[in-house]
Amino acid sequence: MCRCTRLPTNRGRGQKRGRRPSPAASREPVRKGTAMPVIERTVDKNSDLYKLRHSLAHVLAQAVQELYPGVKLGFGPPIDDGFYYDFLFPEGVVLTDEDLKGIQKRMQKICREDQPFVQEDLPFEQAIARLTEMGEPHKVEYCKELHDKKGFDTIGFYTNGPFVDMCEGPHVENTKNLRPDCFKLHSLAGAYWRGDEKNVQMTRIYAYAFESKDELKAHAQAVEEAKKNDHRILGQKLGIYSIADEVGKGLPLWLPNGAAIRHELEKLAYEMEFAAGYHKVSTPEITREGLYYTSGHLPLYKHSMFPPMELYEEGPGGGGEGDENPTERYYLKPMNCPHHHMIFKAQKHSYRDLPLRISEYGRCYRFERAGALQGLTRVRGMCMNDAHIYVTPEQLKDEFKAVMDLHKTYYDLFGFEDYYLRLSQWDPDDPKKGDKYVDDPEGWAFTEKVVQEALEELGLSYTMERGEAAFYGPKVDYEFRTVTGREFTATTNQLDFAVPKRFGLVYTDSDGEEKTPYCIHRAPLGTHERFIAILIEHYAGAFPTWLAPVQVNIIPVSEKVIDYAKKLEAMLRKDLVRTELDDSNATMGKKIRSGTTRKIPINLIVGEQEAEQNTVTMRRYGIEDQPVLALDTFVSELRDEIRDRVDVRRDMR
RNA sequence: GCCACCGUAGCUCAGUGGUAGAGCACACCCUUGGUAAGGGUGAGGUCAUGGGUUCAAGUCCCAUCGGUGGCUCCA
């Protein structure tokens, strides 16, 4: 991509006009696209911080036991920014946010006491006896597991004051080492025992904890600050999307500004895919059920699909109560792959056609559970940057690598740095593997080797997850964290050695034999919904010009120059630049403020001087200097900036 | 789906049982202004929805719907 031609970024240029800007205090700060405050992801178990958090978790349990006799304990580990503890409260006791204050107070009291942490190891039988006597059924269960499955002969316990917990440690020496002002209980949540929703739901209390009061305060502030970049806040403020009860949860409405971003992403994808030899296709959003038996979505994926639309002899809606047998069932598509396979099948293919790459920004609908929905990151209706690539075994690795390269091109363009790759493989030792994976150990061995080699040949680092594969093959996911700290798979590259066979897809090889192709499922721009959520947060709502919903805002100094401003607007719009003219009856300062708070990348000031000299004064978002540019220079350089998708503020993010 | 909390104007929020409020945004008028909020006037709400308690409910209770934070699940 050419980056040599670009509009001046205004930095280092001397041209300034007018007064100095007013004091910064009156301004909306130009936010950086920061993610969550930096958090230690893996705290060393012997570090002071780990001991502190671990010990405070015990103090929390101790305080809760004192205040709510009869409470049962679950797990209480240190986490990234503090710790939590899970409790099962006696029947009828419901904890609310208000109660946290009282618990925190009791904890602080314990911290002021002189209670040494004393460690002891008990033989397994004695440990069970003690936990049983303590009335801790969950601890007993876990203790047995440590013994039976992990071979522990002795079990560790820690005692401080009146409180005893089964625990491997380590801890601080004494509760008085725990500062009462460096932790804060901040939220309550339901959590299933051992993370299994078939188990009882316990009450989890979360806390922040740091080594000093200042760090705690800084963390709480950073969390507040990060929330301002939340795509749900900015999406509302910048008019990107809206979710209306009347339409349905998880079904976003894209406002004009959001639709403009979608348009740019689709244009980007089209250009990249066209150049890489993809063929664009289009498929319907509803489909007869039979296709999903072929694909295996029914019944395997049924829980994530909207229930079917049923047709009866007498027409849609049916012939009434007695008419129980629909003649046809249609489903909203949850994925595009079955349709793309049908497109492959619609024509006869030779090995000469391969790799055959078919792509579509396809709309899919999934019945996500209500509690899982979240802004744009988790929705029920989505539009996916999908493509399926059919290849011979020989082509598989290179094509998989080409998709990884495409990812890299996109990620470099956006300047993404804060993400990681996750390689998901099957789990041959999973007792339920028959339900989760295609039963073809050789296929798994081959494709996993291909994927791993591809990653290594490209020199990419990744984490490996056993048991996280798709049912048809291994995959590489690109994982992101939102400003609120949630992790999401943004984009994906998957290998499929099973489904083409189910569909009976074949190509004629050079030897005249019909063979089944491998398939790569890929979505390097993910779905519009999740990807735009990431972009909003990444750019803190201040998009580079090519992606910005409104690219140029024209601010006439007075009505005297309205004709010049209108001419300018018409000229830019003719060039397909998303331009607005602020001809409202407001002062110039007000218009600048408004253009800036809307994070429009370029505000143009035009007054009598500009009109006379055929120039514009360019005010870029987040950049102080304001050059005066000849009109044709501005237009041609803007055109280049947009065409080359240059992000002039890249180094400032 | 489960646990906790929340739902008042387009947005952000105040209003703890007795005549629905503010700021921003919006409309109109004055102002024609050279770099982050000029002034005035006005419109806008069955207080999410439906029941209940009460002489009286935005306020108390119940249910439903929606949102937030988690758990589970996932692009």
Side-chain angles (χ1 to χ4, degrees):
Chain A
M1 174 166 315
C2 171
R3 287 181 190 231
C4 38
T5 316
R6 54 166 65 180
L7 284 175
T9 60
N10 305 6
R11 274 173 292 173
R13 298 209 166 208
Q15 281 174 313
K16 280 183 204 164
R17 300 171 49 112
R19 278 179 261 143
R20 299 298 304 157
S22 63
S26 69
R27 298 187 182 186
E28 182 124 327
V30 174
R31 289 187 197 293
K32 288 191 152 229
T34 48
M36 199 62 180
V38 177
I39 289 169
E40 287 293 320
R41 303 209 61 176
T42 45
V43 176
D44 172 14
K45 285 200 169 190
N46 288 310
S47 69
D48 290 343
L49 187 57
Y50 186 91
K51 287 182 194 168
L52 174 118
R53 289 172 174 168
H54 205 169
S55 306
L56 278 166
H58 281 221
V59 173
L60 168 58
Q62 183 179 355
V64 170
Q65 272 189 349
E66 288 172 10
L67 292 168
Y68 304 90
V71 72
K72 308 288 181 208
L73 304 180
F75 289 126
I79 51 174
D80 286 348
D81 58 0
F83 59 93
Y84 68 77
Y85 215 111
D86 289 341
F87 302 98
L88 186 62
F89 285 91
E91 196 76 25
V93 177
V94 175
L95 215 59
T96 70
D97 292 335
E98 286 300 301
D99 301 319
L100 295 183
K101 286 177 196 153
I103 298 170
Q104 171 140 346
K105 273 204 170 138
R106 177 64 73 113
M107 287 175 69
Q108 287 164 334
K109 182 171 159 266
I110 295 167
C111 290
R112 289 189 199 97
E113 286 173 9
D114 181 6
Q115 299 182 3
F117 280 90
V118 180
Q119 202 271 344
E120 62 183 316
D121 282 327
L122 292 183
F124 171 67
E125 282 76 14
Q126 280 184 41
I128 290 286
R130 176 185 262 190
L131 291 168
T132 307
E133 187 199 325
M134 283 160 61
E136 294 293 353
H138 304 103
K139 299 274 177 189
V140 170
E141 180 188 323
Y142 188 59
C143 181
K144 281 183 181 153
E145 186 176 314
L146 286 176
H147 176 263
D148 298 347
K149 293 195 181 155
K150 299 197 174 164
F152 281 58
D153 295 329
T154 60
I155 302 292
F157 284 80
Y158 273 84
T159 304
N160 63 290
F163 181 75
V164 186
D165 199 356
M166 175 176 82
C167 177
E168 63 171 350
H171 287 281
V172 296
E173 285 178 19
N174 191 302
T175 56
K176 67 184 178 189
N177 299 82
L178 300 167
R179 297 190 47 166
D181 60 358
C182 70
F183 67 92
K184 183 179 191 327
L185 306 186
H186 64 88
S187 59
L188 273 175
Y192 301 106
W193 167 240
R194 313 221 59 183
D196 187 336
E197 63 185 319
K198 289 189 203 78
N199 289 341
V200 65
Q201 184 158 128
M202 308 183 88
T203 302
R204 177 172 298 177
I205 299 176
Y206 280 98
Y208 299 137
F210 291 88
E211 286 182 83
S212 70
K213 189 181 175 181
D214 286 348
E215 283 171 276
L216 173 68
K217 217 171 135 186
H219 178 73
Q221 271 174 7
V223 169
E224 284 307 304
E225 199 58 27
K227 278 185 191 162
K228 292 175 186 162
N229 284 335
D230 188 320
H231 76 276
R232 290 165 297 185
I233 305 290
L234 287 174
Q236 153 68 30
K237 212 165 131 187
L238 301 175
I240 290 171
Y241 77 101
S242 167
I243 293 176
D245 295 0
E246 292 87 340
V247 176
K249 52 186 164 192
L251 299 169
L253 299 166
W254 292 90
L255 309 186
N257 286 348
I261 300 170
R262 288 171 60 109
H263 171 74
E264 285 299 336
L265 290 175
E266 290 185 22
K267 193 161 157 259
L268 171 68
Y270 179 76
E271 289 171 16
M272 298 299 298
E273 288 167 7
F274 183 85
Y278 287 68
H279 304 280
K280 202 171 171 190
V281 298
S282 187
T283 62
E285 287 161 39
I286 65 169
T287 294
R288 294 175 66 187
E289 68 177 339
L291 188 69
Y292 296 113
Y293 282 110
T294 307
S295 68
H297 285 94
L298 290 174
L300 272 175
Y301 197 75
K302 195 173 182 179
H303 61 280
S304 288
M305 292 169 70
F306 273 89
M309 287 159 269
E310 299 186 332
L311 300 191
Y312 300 84
E313 295 270 352
E314 300 180 18
E321 292 287 311
D323 194 353
E324 285 175 5
N325 298 311
T327 52
E328 286 185 279
R329 285 199 183 86
Y330 284 81
Y331 283 89
L332 282 165
K333 70 173 170 188
M335 294 177 184
N336 301 302
C337 19
H339 295 83
H340 289 184
H341 296 332
M342 293 310 293
I343 283 178
F344 183 93
K345 217 176 171 178
Q347 293 168 310
K348 191 103 175 138
H349 292 289
S350 146
Y351 72 99
R352 294 168 189 275
D353 299 337
L354 307 188
L356 181 73
R357 309 175 185 91
I358 60 180
S359 70
E360 172 178 21
Y361 250 107
R363 276 181 197 267
C364 297
Y365 295 87
R366 298 184 187 171
F367 193 79
E368 301 287 352
R369 296 164 85 175
L373 300 174
Q374 198 193 46
L376 287 179
T377 50
R378 196 73 184 274
V379 292
R380 285 181 170 171
M382 69 209 81
C383 189
M384 203 183 299
N385 170 231
D386 217 349
H388 295 86
I389 307 174
Y390 301 89
V391 292
T392 67
E394 296 74 33
Q395 295 165 335
L396 187 54
K397 196 203 285 178
D398 281 347
E399 197 61 29
F400 198 82
K401 282 163 78 176
V403 172
M404 304 297 293
D405 282 340
L406 184 58
H407 267 88
K408 182 167 165 33
T409 305
Y410 287 144
Y411 279 34
D412 285 351
L413 171 64
F414 294 113
F416 290 156
E417 281 166 7
D418 201 11
Y419 65 93
Y420 70 93
L421 269 57
R422 193 177 66 181
L423 166 58
S424 295
Q425 303 185 315
W426 80 318
D427 183 0
D429 301 325
D430 188 335
K432 289 189 208 152
K433 68 179 176 185
D435 298 336
K436 286 163 82 175
Y437 310 109
V438 177
D439 182 21
D440 179 359
E442 277 177 34
W444 284 104
F446 173 66
T447 53
E448 289 185 350
K449 183 163 165 277
V450 166
V451 173
Q452 205 161 345
E453 282 175 7
L455 284 165
E456 268 152 31
E457 285 167 26
L458 291 168
L460 298 169
S461 54
Y462 55 91
T463 64
M464 192 135 48
E465 296 287 341
R466 204 147 272 295
E468 293 294 314
F471 82 93
Y472 47 68
K475 59 178 181 173
V476 177
D477 292 326
Y478 290 66
E479 298 292 311
F480 277 72
R481 200 173 225 201
T482 65
V483 289
T484 49
R486 277 209 180 181
E487 270 186 15
F488 284 103
T489 300
T491 69
T492 188
N493 188 10
Q494 314 185 348
L495 215 159
D496 177 355
F497 61 90
V499 182
K501 200 180 288 173
R502 298 177 67 123
F503 273 79
L505 306 187
V506 291
Y507 63 95
T508 309
D509 206 352
S510 53
D511 58 9
E513 295 285 311
E514 290 201 327
K515 294 179 185 166
T516 301
Y518 285 82
C519 178
I520 294 169
H521 306 235
R522 43 112 280 181
L525 294 174
T527 61
H528 277 322
E529 287 70 22
R530 198 172 278 179
F531 203 77
I532 290 174
I534 290 167
L535 288 176
I536 292 169
E537 297 186 357
H538 173 66
Y539 291 123
F543 297 98
T545 312
W546 70 274
L547 203 49
V550 177
Q551 297 171 307
V552 174
N553 186 42
I554 301 168
I555 299 175
V557 174
S558 79
E559 275 179 19
K560 286 179 205 145
V561 291
I562 201 78
D563 286 344
Y564 181 64
K566 280 185 175 164
K567 188 185 106 187
L568 196 54
E569 184 197 16
M571 182 193 279
L572 291 170
R573 293 188 81 93
K574 204 175 160 199
D575 252 359
L576 299 181
V577 178
R578 293 183 289 273
T579 309
E580 283 188 6
L581 167 60
D582 189 346
D583 58 359
S584 67
N585 183 16
T587 58
M588 191 185 142
K590 182 77 175 284
K591 290 179 184 183
I592 288 172
R593 180 180 165 82
S594 153
T596 307
T597 51
R598 290 169 65 199
K599 309 192 187 224
I600 297 170
I602 296 173
N603 282 290
L604 293 181
I605 314 291
V606 296
E608 289 180 277
Q609 292 170 53
E610 285 83 356
E612 277 162 26
Q613 293 163 12
N614 226 29
T615 58
V616 291
T617 296
M618 180 173 70
R619 203 180 200 284
R620 278 192 189 271
Y621 182 84
I623 294 175
E624 207 166 306
D625 294 337
Q626 300 173 43
V628 179
L629 302 166
L631 193 51
D632 52 357
T633 309
F634 168 72
V635 172
S636 78
E637 292 185 358
L638 175 65
R639 199 183 290 150
D640 291 346
E641 175 179 330
I642 292 171
R643 184 198 60 212
D644 296 337
R645 300 190 170 97
V646 176
D647 179 4
V648 299
R649 291 182 58 235
R650 186 172 189 135
D651 300 338
M652 303 163 73
R653 296 191 192 278

